[in-house]
Structure formats: structure tokens, C-alpha cells
């Protein structure tokens, strides 16, 4: 992520007008663009008469719909096959995937990168190792296949990447004479100044204690050198009691202890915080570009791009803190009867032309190195590109979701500390035991 200002024009181009493929989108009409040209497929008419079912996750929006229309038209042109496209709203994704794992499902699906181990463990994904590193795809860095590779087999292709930066009220910073923070101490000072000037009930820097809390906690812990767990042999060993992780956890809970975020907001996730931000109750919080369309809607059009900006989250040493390595993949479903045709779709969608367009149109980061490097100084995407350069991932284990979301182990540990029920050492020791039990089951 980069510390540049976001102008109305660049934000609209990079994130707003085109919507966010990963999380639904705004209502802006996408700019006219010429459909990318794909290389002719050797398979050609071989697949004429066939139909491929493709799932996209989230709500459709003008940019995403246009992208899929153009991609699918090119696929039909080069293979002769038709595409049946279905949009799966985020709240329904878990149920749809569960149903598809035991019954009728898609041939090809979009999937969050950190969900690949979970569904691979249920035999719900088909290996695609033979196409993962051939052609254009050979340029995709190996480290982007961390979640996607299980026992030396690749089960999904990276499609677009995501990282997080601090979203702030640019208009407030200007009014209050606040410079873009370069260190964590400067973030704290900015948050306190915002609270002093904007009144009671305003979070200077919002604490995230909800379903995606570990994206914020991880940034603090990783910046101190901490880790959640490490694989030692065939066993996961928890690292939550290490001094490095403890230091990051204390900075995380310190947002509330030091009064930068209100105690009434301990269970809020990014979506909840976004709504408070849109209603002038938050000065800064950690998120990604896909929140921007929602902020405009939540504020009833009062809070537009020209009042917003991003900067990379700094650590205590003045360096950019590591961001969670998020991303959207595209995979071949385990029950497909069209393996070869599905692989043709994956090869087309993730070649450099179409993958770059997917990222650009969706407000995501590109997976191809030269395209990513070109964004470093971009006013809108630069902060994310810089943060992504230091991005890290959660433990690649199929049980991580149970620890992270279902049982919310660290969220509960933080609440126990903030409510005075446990001290930090006890809370993290208990969480560490639970982490090992969950990951090693």
C-alpha cells in the first residue's frame, strides 16, 4: 500500500466505478473498454455444444458483469462452448459450497484463497497442477500458491490479490492539520487529535473484534515478528505465547485500553466499522478498497472519494507493517464432468490479459509482477501494492476457519482481557492450547 493521496478520479477508476469483484459493488457505470484479445485455443470447436457452469461470488455490479460478459464471449469464441454464469451472494456462499460438495455444483468457481485448504480437504476441488505453471501462468510468483498447493498438487489459480491499508478521513486530516502518519506513534497521536476535535463517541482508530478481526491483529503481531502457529513435522505448534506475538496482541487490545476505540464496539467487524465510518464515527480503520462503494451508499452520498485516503499501516519502527495476504482464486470444482473444458476456462481467465483486467476492474491487486510493480506510485493503488509486498498468510490448514471464525478464539481472548476476566498471559495461553487442539484434530 502506498501513502499517496487518492483523488476522486483515481479512486473512481481503481475501485469505485468498476465496483469490487470480491465483495459486491457500487452503482457507478463502468467506463467503456475494448474486450481483451485472447490467443486462439487449439481445442477450438471441439467443445461446441457443451455448457460450462461458472460461479462468481458476491453480488454482481456493472463492472464485474461487463468483465464476465467479455470473458465468456471470448471463451465461447475460442472453444465453442457456452457458459452458464451464476452469482452467489456472500451470505450464501458457505451453504452453496456445502451443498455442492455433496451434490450438484459448478464446473468452475471463484473462491477465496484461504478457503482452498478447507474445500480441498473435502475433495471438493480438482487438481490443476498441469496448467498452473505453464504459459503466461509461469510468471505468477510461487509464493502466491501457498494456500493453493496441498501435497505438491495445485488446486486453484490466483486471480486477483488483496491487501489492507488504513482508510482515513482526508478532509478531517486537512482541517486538523494532521500529516500522514509514518510511525505507529504518529497514528496514535492522529487518532487522539481526531477524538479531541470530533466529539464523544468517535473512534480515532477503530478496534476490529468481529469476524475478520485477525486481519488487524495479524498486522500488529507480524510487525513484531510474531506468528500464529508453525508446522513442526506433521504437527502444528502454537506461537501465541511467544513474546513477539504477545507484543502485537497488546498493541491490538491497546486500541481500546488507551481509549482510541470505544468499549461498546468490541464485536464489530469491518462491515460494521465501515457503516460507522460513513456516519462520521470513525477517523481511521484498516480495510481495503472494496469498502469505498459501500461508504458512499451508507453515507447517502455525503462521503465521496475526494474526502477519503489510504496510507500503509506503519509499525513501531516506522516501516510498513505486513498485511494479510488475501486474494480471490478460481478453481475447478471436484464434481465437474468437464475437467478439460474447465481447465481451458481457467487458462483463459488467468492469463496475463484477463487476470490483469480482473484485478483492475475489481479494485484488486494484479498477480503478475510487472503489473503490480507499476502500481507502487499510483495514488489509489500504491498503498495496497506496497503493503502487499510484505503480505503474509494465516496458517494453511483446513481447520483454520474453525479457529479464526467459527470459534473466534482470539476474538474471545481479546474480549476476556478487555473485560478484565483474564490477563494477557492467561488469555493467550488458553488460546494457544485451543489453537493446537483445533489445527491438529
Amino acid at each position: 500500500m502506498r501513502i499517496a493521496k487518492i483523488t476522486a478520479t483515481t479512486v473512481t477508476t481503481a475501485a469505485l466505478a468498476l465496483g469490487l469483484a470480491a465483495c459486491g459493488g457500487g452503482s457507478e457505470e463502468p467506463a467503456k473498454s475494448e474486450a481483451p484479445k485472447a490467443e486462439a485455443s487449439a481445442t477450438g470447436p471441439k467443445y461446441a455444444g457443451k455448457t460450462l457452469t461458472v460461479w462468481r461470488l458476491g453480488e454482481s455490479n456493472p463492472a464485474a458483469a461487463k468483465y464476465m460478459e467479455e470473458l465468456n464471449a471470448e471463451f465461447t469464441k475460442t472453444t465453442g462452448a457456452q457458459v452458464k454464469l451464476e452469482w452467489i451472494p456472500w451470505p450464501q456462499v458457505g451453504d452453496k459450497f456445502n451443498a455442492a460438495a455433496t451434490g450438484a455444483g459448478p464446473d468452475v468457481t471463484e473462491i477465496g484463497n484461504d478457503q482452498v485448504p478447507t474445500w480441498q480437504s473435502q475433495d471438493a476441488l480438482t487438481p490443476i497442477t498441469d496448467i498452473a505453471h505453464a504459459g503466461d501462468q509461469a510468471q505468477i510468483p510461487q509464493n502466491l500458491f501457498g494456500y493453493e498447493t496441498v501435497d505438491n498438487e495445485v488446486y486453484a489459480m490466483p486471480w486477483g490479490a488483496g491487501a489492507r491499508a488504513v482508510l482515513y478521513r482526508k478532509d478531517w486530516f486537512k482541517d486538523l492539520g494532521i500529516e500522514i502518519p509514518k510511525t505507529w506513534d504518529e497514528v496514535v497521536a492522529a487518532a487522539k487529535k481526531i477524538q479531541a476535535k470530533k466529539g464523544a463517541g468517535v473512534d480515532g482508530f477503530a478496534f476490529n473484534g468481529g469476524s475478520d478481526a485477525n486481519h488487524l491483529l495479524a498486522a500488529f503481531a507480524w510487525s513484531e515478528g510474531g506468528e500464529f502457529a508453525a508446522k513442526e513435522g506433521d504437527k502444528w505448534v502454537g506461537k501465541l505465547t511467544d513474546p513477539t506475538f504477545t507484543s502485537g496482541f497488546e498493541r491490538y487490545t491497546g486500541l481500546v485500553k488507551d481509549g482510541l476505540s470505544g468499549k461498546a464496539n468490541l464485536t464489530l467487524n469491518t462491515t460494521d466499522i465501515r457503516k460507522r465510518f460513513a456516519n462520521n464515527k470513525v477517523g481511521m480503520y484498516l480495510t481495503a478498497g472494496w469498502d469505498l462503494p459501500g461508504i458512499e451508499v451508507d453515507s447517502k452520498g455525503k462521503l465521496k472519494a475526494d474526502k477519503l485516503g489510504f496510507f500503509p499501516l506503519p509499525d513501531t519502527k516506522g516501516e510498513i507493517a505486513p498485511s494479510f495476504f488475501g486474494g480471490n482464486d478460481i478453481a475447478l470444482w471436484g464434481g465437474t464432468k468437464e475437467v478439460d473444458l474447465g481447465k481451458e476456462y481457467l487458462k483463459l481467465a488467468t492469463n496475463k490479459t484477463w487476470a490483469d483486467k480482473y484485478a483492475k476492474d475489481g479494485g484488486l491487486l494484479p498477480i503478475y509482477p510487472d503489473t503490480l510493480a507499476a502500481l507502487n506510485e499510483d495514488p489509489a493503488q500504491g498503498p495496497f501494492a506496497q503493503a502487499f509486498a510484505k503480505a503474509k498468510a494465516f496458517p494453511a490448514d483446513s481447520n483454520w476457519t474453525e479457529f479464526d471464525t467459527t470459534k473466534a478464539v482470539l476474538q474471545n481472548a481479546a474480549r476476556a482481557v478487555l473485560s478484565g476476566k483474564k490477563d494477557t498471559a492467561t488469555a493467550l495461553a488458553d488460546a494457544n492450547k485451543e489453537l493446537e487442539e483445533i489445527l491438529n484434530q
Side-chain angles (χ1 to χ4, degrees):
M1 315 205 176
R2 188 265 42 321
I3 308 181
K5 300 176 181 177
I6 300 183
T7 65
T9 301
T10 54
V11 170
T12 299
T13 301
L16 287 177
L18 296 171
L20 284 307
C23 299
S27 59
E28 301 274 346
E29 289 297 324
K32 299 289 183 181
S33 61
E34 184 177 335
K37 301 283 193 295
E39 294 179 8
S41 170
T43 52
K46 173 181 177 181
Y47 298 106
K50 289 184 175 293
T51 298
L52 198 72
T53 299
V54 176
W55 283 3
R56 279 291 306 266
L57 308 186
E59 302 286 351
S60 179
N61 60 72
K66 181 177 175 61
Y67 172 85
M68 294 305 297
E69 180 182 351
E70 293 175 348
L71 173 65
N72 292 341
E74 189 64 26
F75 179 72
T76 297
K77 176 182 175 181
T78 57
T79 66
Q82 299 297 313
V83 176
K84 179 184 178 183
L85 175 65
E86 297 181 27
W87 291 90
I88 312 299
W90 285 111
Q92 299 175 22
V93 168
D95 289 342
K96 291 286 286 187
F97 273 25
N98 277 320
T102 57
D107 297 300
V108 170
T109 185
E110 187 176 32
I111 184 171
N113 64 347
D114 59 341
Q115 292 299 304
V116 172
T118 296
W119 294 105
Q120 183 279 333
S121 71
Q122 298 183 41
D123 297 323
L125 301 177
T126 297
I128 53 169
T129 312
D130 56 325
I131 67 169
H133 306 298
D136 280 3
Q137 289 77 3
Q139 301 174 47
I140 302 173
Q142 278 294 114
N143 69 303
L144 299 192
F145 287 89
Y147 282 126
E148 293 77 2
T149 305
V150 180
D151 296 331
N152 297 317
E153 291 277 11
V154 178
Y155 286 89
M157 289 297 300
W159 206 5
R164 286 163 171 75
V166 179
L167 179 61
Y168 71 101
R169 287 291 298 266
K170 188 166 61 175
D171 56 337
W172 287 6
F173 272 43
K174 181 179 179 181
D175 291 345
L176 300 178
I178 300 173
E179 298 292 330
I180 300 297
K182 303 295 195 302
T183 67
W184 179 247
D185 285 345
E186 291 177 0
V187 172
V188 172
K192 289 181 176 178
K193 191 168 186 178
I194 287 169
Q195 290 176 302
K197 299 295 184 180
K198 295 299 177 180
V202 173
D203 291 340
F205 191 106
F207 175 85
N208 184 333
S211 56
D212 55 355
N214 283 324
H215 295 107
L216 178 59
L217 172 55
F220 290 143
W222 287 332
S223 69
E224 299 292 338
E227 297 289 348
F228 289 87
K231 199 73 174 286
E232 297 182 6
D234 60 354
K235 182 179 179 181
W236 285 102
V237 177
K239 301 295 181 181
L240 305 184
T241 58
D242 287 7
T244 50
F245 190 93
T246 299
S247 180
F249 183 84
E250 289 178 334
R251 186 146 54 99
Y252 169 67
T253 54
L255 290 171
V256 177
K257 287 183 176 181
D258 296 338
L260 303 183
S261 190
K263 287 188 176 181
N265 305 321
L266 297 185
T267 63
L268 302 189
N269 62 20
T270 298
T271 300
D272 303 320
I273 296 167
R274 183 199 79 203
K275 293 176 180 177
R276 283 175 48 78
F277 183 92
N279 287 284
N280 304 316
K281 294 298 183 181
V282 173
M284 294 177 281
Y285 74 107
L286 190 72
T287 188
W290 52 66
D291 267 8
L292 296 176
I295 288 170
E296 184 167 352
V297 172
D298 293 337
S299 68
K300 296 180 171 55
K302 296 177 182 177
L303 201 52
K304 297 181 182 292
D306 61 338
K307 295 181 179 179
L308 308 179
F310 282 99
F311 63 87
L313 179 70
D315 64 17
T316 55
K317 300 178 289 293
E319 299 178 357
I320 295 174
S323 170
F324 168 69
F325 163 37
N328 289 355
D329 290 352
I330 185 168
L332 198 58
W333 196 248
T336 181
K337 294 180 174 59
E338 299 293 348
V339 173
D340 291 340
L341 181 58
K343 287 181 178 180
E344 289 298 316
Y345 194 90
L346 265 62
K347 286 192 289 185
L348 178 65
T350 63
N351 72 20
K352 190 172 189 307
T353 298
W354 286 98
D356 280 354
K357 182 171 172 58
Y358 170 84
K360 180 182 178 183
D361 288 9
L364 299 172
L365 296 172
I367 58 174
Y368 283 91
D370 58 339
T371 315
L372 179 65
L375 294 178
N376 279 338
E377 301 306 321
D378 181 86
Q381 293 285 55
F384 300 102
Q386 291 182 25
F388 186 66
K390 299 182 68 175
K392 301 185 68 169
F394 296 139
D397 186 88
S398 59
N399 296 315
W400 173 256
T401 299
E402 180 181 347
F403 171 83
D404 178 32
T405 307
T406 307
K407 293 187 174 178
V409 175
L410 280 168
Q411 293 93 321
N412 289 328
R415 291 168 202 158
V417 169
L418 293 170
S419 66
K421 294 179 179 178
K422 295 180 182 180
D423 59 28
T424 296
T426 301
L428 287 179
D430 291 347
N432 201 65
K433 180 181 178 182
E434 195 167 358
L435 180 149
E436 292 182 340
E437 289 172 350
I438 292 172
L439 295 191
N440 290 312
Q441 64 187 341

